[in-house]
Amino acid sequence: MTVTRETIAIPDSTEPTISLLRELRRDQVKKRAVNAAYWVYLVALVAGLYGGTQIAAAFRALRRPPPPTAQTPLALHAAPYALTVVALVVLLALLRDALWRGPVTLPQVTVDWLLGTPVDRGRLLRPRFRISAVLTVAAGAVVGIVPAAALIAFGLSGRGAGSALRVTGLAMASVALLFALGTGCAGLIERHPAAGRWLRRVTPAAIAAAAAIAGLAAWAALGRPPAALAAVVLWSGPWGWAAQGMTGLAGGAGAASPAPLWPFAILLLGAAAVVAVAAAHRGAAGVPGAALRARARTLGAMSAAVLSMDTRGVANAYASASRRGLARLRLRPPRRRELVLPWRDLLALARTPSRLAGAAALALLGVGLIAAVARRGGSVSLLPVACALALGYLAAAWLCEGARLDAEDTRRSENLPLRFSALAWWHAVVPCAVLLVVAGLPVVAAVAVTGDPRFLVLLAVAVPVLVAGALVNVFRGEFAPDMFAGVDTPGGNTAAYRILFWYAWGPLLAVAPMALLLSSAIGAARPGTVARAVVIGAALAVALLAYAARRAARLRAA
């Protein structure tokens, strides 16, 4: 018996399928054009209302650039480092975008109905990449106006409108090429999933490099680092090439240009961008179907969360798509039942080191801002103290992930030997301990040098207040649709204020009073002022934790 194997030829249905899609989408294209025009009008209206004076000032500065000031030489020294670190962060963000969205995306309907059919992937996916690349490059050109305006404001554009126009055009071209390079590399990352794993490994090193270059920018603004460091940074990669394009014509202070070979750097950046975009366009047809399906699900979940104003849903959708997996760390279970909840929170943080590292960075930034304010002496301004406390609140909120999980699903903690209303008190243990350790190390070092224990005492009372404020927001419950029902007043509809207070109630209760207490305690050297801040702060922490526990009880009852 002879078995013959026959090959069944599958007809190519690309052309009739695309023709049918064009016919079906004809009405949708008109609706999308109308929606896009509406959003463009809305953005232009908001920009004109709230930023009209700044836009007018920028146009006046473009026509008549301001003369150099005493700060111009310092800005000239810091510009190569500052612009390089901004370019590095922007490029990293464009590359990380490929881990969850990518330049090649398809709607969920297209993914469900067309990926399994005999349709040419190139005809389906390459137009998506071209549209994404064009929009990204256009956005990069618009973003390039921001560093150009900063250079002009510091008097680094020379004299005359022609010089300012050259600086603006060069900045727009440099940032547009940087965005093009990022889009091309993002397309290659989407095409090759192994590149995404390498990007996750390189991200911590890139963040550390950005922090180091930012430190060099601060050094250059306060002193004179060696000129060789600027050359190394400007030629360290495409981020430095883009910075050369922006600082190449800077010479308002009469000094030599910090990037004399900027035309060659622009050519290198343009060549790299063209090669990356061409390679990504060629490889767009080979993007795996699994990557397209995952991105379509992520965009669908994120769009639904945005429409329902669910910030938690947006964060979860992004985290589930961009995070590769959990760190496999184990902690020995506690022997006492009461310590189960802190052990579970600590284990959750240990398995997501990125959340722990981000919270630590925010906490250290807040401590550094407080230290910079206190170093000046005399009366302390309220705004920088509030900004530092806001950073501390964000760090505390990042560490309350275990509390959020319990608030989302009250059944998760039914087997714990604790009442649900008491969870707020126990969930505060781990965030307080982590923040006190991270932020306490530089504070203890400063106390050992200066011999002034005020900052250590104030830190010990500020951390519980910030954590308690974060827990107040954690146990606020779900967003109620009736919040959109408001009353029209001369100041606007009250629904907007209700929604704003619903989101900002926790930080408002924690940051506002602590900013008043800390600003008075830091500025005054009297022990009574510090003691008053400690007593009121401790009472505020207890009150906020009790309020969070009451909210948790209501959430459980509902």
Side-chain angles (χ1 to χ4, degrees), residues 472-473 476 483 494-509 547 551:
V472 167
N473 256 24
R476 64 191 174 189
M483 288 188 180
T494 57
Y497 300 103
R498 293 178 61 187
I499 295 172
L500 179 62
F501 277 104
W502 188 81
Y503 276 109
W505 189 236
L508 186 63
L509 293 178
Y547 181 39
R551 278 192 158 192

Side-chain angles (χ1 to χ4, degrees), residues 355 392-401 404 435 466-467 470-471 474:
R355 182 181 298 275
Y393 173 84
L394 291 177
W398 280 19
L399 297 176
C400 294
E401 183 65 19
R404 288 191 183 89
L435 289 180
L466 297 177
V467 173
L471 290 174
V474 165

Side-chain angles (χ1 to χ4, degrees), residues 344 406 409-418 420 556:
R344 193 170 63 177
D406 285 335
D409 187 2
T410 57
R411 299 169 300 177
R412 183 172 179 263
S413 301
E414 286 182 350
N415 296 326
L416 291 178
L418 299 169
F420 195 82
R556 175 72 175 185

